[in-house]
C-alpha cells in the first residue's frame, strides 16, 4: 500500500480545521496540525509534508516567511488562506511560490478539492475522481460528493457499471455488453433489470450524462468541463 499523503494545517481557524481534517482523513490523507506559526517550524522542518495550508490568523509577513523557508523544490505545496484584501498580497504570495491563495470565508469542500488537485499533480492523490455536472465521484472510496454538500455511497455493482461507462465514452453499450462486463449484484440480471440499474445510478449521481439510446442501449457522454 502506498504511503498516505500528508497535509499540514497551520493556524487554520478551529471551525474550519475540524471539518477539513475530517474531510481529508476520510479520503485517506494524513492530517497534521500546528496551532501557532512557531509550532509549524518543527512540523515543516521535519519534512514529509505534501501540502501545507496556512490560515488567515497568520500575518502576511509570517505566511511569506514560512513560504520562503519551507517552500520551493523539495518542499510542500503551500495554500494560503487570506482575508479579502488588496490583490497585491495575493500576487506577492503567488510570486513567492504559493501554489494557491484562497479568500475567507471559504467552503471546506472547495478547499479540499484544491488540495486534492495539488496532490494529484504531485502523484500523491489516493483518490480517483470523476467530476460530473452536480457531483464529484471518488471511485476508490465509492463516494459521491454532491455540490449541495450531501454524500452518497455507491454499491460495488454501481462502481463497476460506472467504470464500464467511463472506459467507453460516447460508445453505445448494449444490455448484453453491460451484463457481461458489469453483472448485477444478484441473480436477477435479466434484460430489463439493466433499465432499473441505470435509473438508480443516474439518480444517485444526479447526472444526465448517461443517455438511453432507444432500441440500442446506453451511452456515456462526458460533461463539458466547468469554467467558473
Amino acid at each position: 500500500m502506498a504511503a498516505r499523503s500528508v497535509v499540514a494545517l497551520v493556524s487554520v481557524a478551529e471551525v474550519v480545521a475540524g471539518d477539513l481534517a475530517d474531510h481529508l482523513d476520510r479520503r485517506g490523507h494524513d492530517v497534521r496540525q500546528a496551532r501557532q506559526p512557531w509550532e509549524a517550524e518543527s512540523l515543516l522542518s521535519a519534512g514529509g509534508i505534501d501540502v501545507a495550508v496556512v490560515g488567515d490568523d497568520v500575518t502576511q509577513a509570517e505566511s511569506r516567511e514560512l513560504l520562503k523557508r519551507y517552500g520551493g523544490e523539495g518542499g510542500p505545496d503551500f495554500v494560503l488562506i487570506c482575508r479579502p484584501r488588496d490583490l497585491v498580497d495575493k500576487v506577492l504570495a503567488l510570486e513567492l511560490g504559493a501554489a494557491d491563495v484562497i479568500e475567507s470565508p471559504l467552503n471546506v469542500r472547495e478547499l479540499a478539492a484544491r488540495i486534492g488537485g495539488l496532490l494529484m499533480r504531485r502523484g500523491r492523490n489516493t483518490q480517483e475522481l470523476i467530476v460530473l455536472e452536480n457531483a464529484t465521484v471518488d471511485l476508490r472510496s465509492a463516494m459521491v460528493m454532491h455540490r449541495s454538500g450531501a454524500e452518497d455511497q455507491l454499491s460495488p455493482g454501481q462502481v463497476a457499471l460506472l467504470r464500464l461507462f467511463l472506459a467507453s465514452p460516447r460508445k453505445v453499450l448494449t444490455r448484453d455488453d453491460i451484463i457481461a462486463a458489469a453483472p448485477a449484484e444478484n441473480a436477477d440480471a435479466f434484460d430489463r433489470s439493466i433499465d432499473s440499474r441505470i435509473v438508480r445510478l443516474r439518480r444517485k449521481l444526479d447526472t444526465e450524462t448517461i443517455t438511453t439510446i432507444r432500441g440500442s442501449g446506453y451511452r456515456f457522454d462526458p460533461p463539458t468541463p466547468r469554467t467558473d
Side-chain angles (χ1 to χ4, degrees):
M1 178 185 295
R4 299 197 337 161
S5 54
V6 181
V7 180
L9 307 183
V10 178
S11 298
V12 176
E14 189 172 344
V15 65
V16 173
D19 288 344
L20 181 60
D22 180 65
H23 195 89
L24 294 172
D25 182 71
R26 285 188 286 118
R27 283 153 182 79
H29 307 306
D30 182 3
V31 181
R32 303 175 188 176
Q33 297 193 48
R35 301 295 182 188
Q36 300 297 330
W38 59 266
E39 293 178 311
E41 297 285 342
S42 60
L43 179 60
L44 296 173
S45 62
I49 305 297
D50 294 299
V51 175
V53 182
V54 182
D56 59 6
D57 285 341
V58 177
T59 67
Q60 290 296 308
E62 289 171 326
S63 294
R64 290 195 289 267
E65 183 62 25
L66 289 174
L67 182 57
K68 286 189 289 187
R69 292 186 62 181
Y70 299 107
E73 187 175 354
D77 286 326
F78 274 79
V79 178
L80 305 187
I81 302 172
C82 67
R83 296 184 177 92
R85 60 183 66 200
D86 194 284
L87 179 63
V88 172
D89 287 325
K90 297 180 187 178
V91 172
L92 181 57
L94 292 170
E95 287 179 342
L96 288 173
D100 202 353
V101 180
I102 184 169
E103 287 187 359
S104 62
L106 52 83
N107 181 287
V108 168
R109 292 173 59 79
E110 178 188 357
L111 177 54
R114 292 186 185 216
I115 293 170
L118 294 174
L119 291 170
M120 186 175 295
R121 286 191 345 220
R122 294 172 71 97
R124 298 286 290 142
N125 201 331
T126 60
Q127 298 174 309
E128 190 176 350
L129 298 179
I130 307 300
V131 179
L132 300 174
E133 316 98 298
N134 302 306
T136 299
V137 184
D138 181 355
L139 286 172
R140 294 194 183 184
S141 65
M143 184 177 292
V144 183
M145 298 166 281
H146 296 278
R147 297 195 188 282
S148 66
E151 295 182 347
D152 276 318
Q153 199 75 28
L154 295 175
S155 69
Q158 288 174 326
V159 171
L161 184 55
L162 180 54
R163 285 188 183 279
L164 175 61
F165 281 119
L166 292 170
S168 306
R170 302 182 182 85
K171 176 182 176 181
V172 177
L173 300 175
T174 67
R175 291 183 173 84
D176 287 340
D177 291 333
I178 294 172
I179 290 173
E185 296 171 80
N186 54 47
D188 192 25
F190 295 109
D191 189 52
R192 285 298 167 186
S193 74
I194 298 297
D195 297 337
S196 298
R197 291 177 63 195
I198 297 295
V199 169
R200 288 194 294 270
L201 182 62
R202 280 192 193 123
R203 184 180 300 129
K204 186 165 284 190
L205 299 177
D206 190 15
T207 185
E208 299 296 329
T209 58
I210 302 173
T211 306
T212 301
I213 307 301
R214 190 174 299 277
S216 299
Y218 304 91
R219 186 183 66 216
F220 171 68
D221 296 304
T224 302
R226 292 165 61 95
T227 57
D228 56 347

